[in-house]
Amino acid sequence: MMGTFTKSFGAAGGYIAASQAVIDALRTHSHSNGYATSMSPPVVQQVLTSMRIIMGQDGTNDGTRRIKQLAENARYFRQGIKKLGFIVYGWRLNILALFSRADICCACRQ
């Protein structure tokens, strides 16, 4: 499994969960490894703090509340853009691919 922190946390960096052999191979053979830099300490702290809040390790239910609110906002947005005539692909995703009828007509003419 792999992912990035770029959009989810408004931060830089990412993660890979794999066997040590896979991680070592990626580190050895990845061309970006030579050009990449480590995440800055403030970015690392931002990600760690966000994860602690999400997991409830800060002693509050703020993370749970925020995740529920995000889901509600995404549902509201999805319903609203469908009413406006957009075609929405995907199900239960916070990242939406939007196409208008004009986009499809334009693509068909090409």
Side-chain angles (χ1 to χ4, degrees):
M1 175 170 59
M2 65 177 257
T4 68
F5 294 130
T6 306
K7 292 178 182 69
S8 55
F9 290 99
Y15 61 91
I16 294 178
S19 68
Q20 190 63 51
V22 170
I23 293 171
D24 290 342
L26 288 170
R27 285 182 176 155
T28 304
H29 301 293
S30 174
H31 78 281
S32 64
N33 190 39
Y35 304 105
T37 59
S38 299
M39 289 194 299
S40 68
V43 171
V44 172
Q45 186 60 55
Q46 174 189 1
V47 173
L48 290 172
T49 301
S50 297
M51 292 303 296
R52 286 183 184 119
I53 292 170
I54 289 169
M55 294 186 295
Q57 293 177 355
D58 63 339
T60 70
N61 67 347
D62 197 37
T64 302
R65 182 187 57 77
R66 288 179 186 217
I67 289 172
K68 286 179 182 177
Q69 185 63 56
L70 176 62
E72 180 57 35
N73 291 352
R75 279 191 295 276
Y76 178 77
F77 180 70
R78 179 184 294 272
Q79 291 169 356
I81 57 177
K82 280 185 174 182
K83 286 180 185 177
L84 291 173
F86 284 90
I87 299 165
V88 181
Y89 291 104
W91 181 74
R92 297 187 64 172
L93 298 173
N94 293 333
I95 299 171
L96 304 176
L98 302 177
F99 296 94
S100 69
R101 289 183 181 91
D103 292 335
I104 293 171
C105 292
C106 191
C108 292
R109 287 188 215 133
Q110 293 178 355

